[in-house]
Amino acid sequence: MTATATAPARIVGVGTAVPEHSYSQQEILDIFGIQDPRVRSIFLNSAIERRFLTLPPEGPDGARVLEVQGELLAKHKAQAVDMGVRAVQECLKEAGADLSDIGYLCCVTTTGFLTPGLSALVIRELGIDPRTSRLDVVGMGCNAGLNALNAVNGWARANPGRLAVMVCAEACSATYVFDGTMRTSVVNSLFGDGAAAVALLAGEPELPLPQATGPHLLKFASYIITDAIDAMRYDWDGDQDRFSFYLDPHVPYVVGAHAELVVDSLLAGTGLRRSDIGQWLVHSGGKKVIDAVGVNLGLTRHDLRHTTSVLRDYGNLSSGSFLFSYQRLLEERVAQPGDYCVLMTMGPGSTIETALARW
């Protein structure tokens, strides 16, 4: 490997996409006729104002038809491809790159099962060179974006001058179960549909990318909280005859209690302290999770402004949430050369993933 091949990769573009329709929490309660005061409280005190969703179709009586598992998988496939394609197109436009520039495509999704994987479907849909190297990261949940970004970063560094693209596409509305329980109500009140793509380039750029001013990725650190490995899971519910997502009520406290450990591991050996970090991009996992991470890391509301605003406007978008926050940070134009940024995601395992970047 040459010296150039070990140069850190830079983020050179980002793009996002959502379904056509969005709904307020009150609108969702009205559509499904939810009257249980406990469930209504969960929806209306979620710190979420709107979410983009693909709701079940209406039946002859105007009520929503509950989809069987096969229909949910078909919904996931259609939405993941549609949103993923549009996110990649916006990402390339932002980077000033073309489809023919893509040397590596990594696709991330958890909200459905696909064989062949999403990468093959996106390559066919966009007409990307079928010889393109690719990877599918499946089933890792909300933390998967940073796990995959670590792999994409490795490919970019090993192939300097070639463009690597990652897209996270999650049709969370394809995971909903409607049984009136508190368990499913928590999930149904939180997640939204969306996709986010990011492009990386390492070494001396062979591509004339006018927007290649994003931060370099310097380091990754992760931690599996093995004592809470079942606290977040998406598995088969025999009673409902479909897959179902589960969130333990103690997730916010478990994640918050381990946040310092992971960030300290990320910053170890860099000479940096938490106070040296100018920008924080934390996964919009939910109000209580964000509060727990903020308290344990000593972050301010300003530090978490993009995390909370993405939760407010989109809900929890699973693996691509942190890229929606990154896009908002770019739109602010406040990051200056030399600024450090910590990216953090949390998900099933229970796991916390982090990355350190610098403009």
Side-chain angles (χ1 to χ4, degrees):
M1 185 176 292
T2 66
T4 300
T6 61
R10 177 194 292 274
I11 298 176
V12 297
V14 65
T16 59
V18 292
E20 180 179 1
H21 300 292
S22 71
Y23 305 87
S24 70
Q25 296 289 71
Q26 183 63 56
E27 287 170 337
I28 296 172
L29 291 171
D30 293 342
I31 288 172
F32 289 101
I34 298 172
Q35 300 298 329
D36 187 326
R38 298 173 305 162
V39 176
R40 292 180 65 86
S41 178
I42 291 173
F43 273 72
L44 298 176
N45 293 288
S46 60
I48 298 170
E49 292 185 2
R50 297 194 74 80
R51 290 178 288 156
F52 289 83
L53 295 167
T54 305
L55 296 181
E58 291 184 3
D61 60 354
R64 299 287 171 161
V65 176
L66 298 185
E67 299 150 303
V68 299
Q69 185 60 62
E71 292 168 328
L72 294 173
L73 290 172
K75 177 194 287 189
H76 166 259
K77 181 179 180 180
Q79 288 297 316
V81 172
D82 174 64
M83 294 187 300
V85 162
R86 289 188 283 119
V88 169
Q89 290 172 325
E90 183 183 320
C91 173
L92 293 178
K93 182 180 180 180
E94 174 71 17
D98 298 320
L99 289 171
S100 59
D101 296 324
I102 297 177
Y104 185 75
L105 179 67
C106 175
C107 290
V108 181
T109 191
T110 294
T111 48
F113 182 73
L114 292 170
T115 302
L118 183 59
S119 65
L121 300 175
V122 169
I123 284 173
R124 182 184 67 175
E125 189 71 18
L126 283 172
I128 297 171
D129 189 334
R131 293 166 294 187
T132 301
S133 299
R134 61 192 176 90
L135 173 70
D136 285 282
V137 175
V138 180
M140 297 190 75
C142 299
N143 59 65
L146 278 181
N147 284 103
L149 192 64
N150 196 354
V152 176
N153 177 60
W155 188 94
R157 295 184 64 179
N159 295 271
R162 300 192 66 194
L163 196 68
V165 173
M166 177 187 79
V167 58
C168 305
E170 304 288 8
C172 294
S173 59
T175 70
Y176 284 2
V177 172
F178 297 94
D179 62 359
T181 66
M182 293 301 288
R183 164 179 167 161
T184 59
S185 297
V186 170
V187 174
N188 297 352
S189 72
L190 178 59
F191 290 91
D193 296 354
V198 63
L200 303 185
L201 190 67
E204 293 296 326
E206 297 175 0
L207 303 173
L209 301 182
Q211 305 299 324
T213 58
H216 288 100
L217 293 170
L218 304 180
K219 188 180 179 184
F220 292 81
S222 63
Y223 188 82
I224 301 176
I225 309 168
T226 52
D227 290 344
I229 203 161
D230 289 326
M232 288 181 267
R233 61 180 191 267
Y234 180 56
D235 54 12
W236 187 257
D237 185 335
D239 294 336
Q240 296 294 328
D241 199 28
R242 65 187 65 197
F243 289 100
S244 178
F245 193 68
Y246 172 73
L247 284 173
D248 189 286
H250 294 98
V251 162
Y253 314 109
V254 171
V255 170
H258 291 81
E260 286 185 279
L261 185 156
V262 190
V263 171
D264 289 348
S265 176
L266 179 71
L267 299 184
T270 66
L272 297 172
R273 299 168 296 181
R274 287 183 221 161
S275 57
D276 296 321
I277 306 302
Q279 310 295 338
W280 293 83
L281 297 176
V282 177
H283 168 52
S284 304
K287 183 179 183 299
K288 290 182 179 178
V289 172
I290 297 169
D291 289 345
V293 170
V295 167
N296 282 277
L297 292 178
L299 304 182
T300 67
R301 293 176 64 181
H302 182 74
D303 292 329
L304 295 167
R305 63 194 182 283
H306 300 305
T307 299
T308 54
S309 73
V310 167
L311 181 69
R312 180 194 65 210
D313 298 337
Y314 296 98
N316 182 336
L317 294 158
S318 191
S319 61
S321 290
F322 75 106
L323 292 176
F324 278 74
S325 294
Y326 172 71
Q327 189 177 51
R328 291 199 164 181
L329 175 60
L330 292 186
E331 291 169 353
E332 273 192 327
R333 300 181 182 278
V334 297
Q336 299 297 316
D339 280 0
Y340 286 96
C341 176
V342 166
L343 303 93
M344 172 183 285
T345 61
M346 302 78 76
S350 298
T351 63
I352 303 176
E353 306 292 337
T354 58
L356 177 65
R358 188 186 192 191
W359 267 266

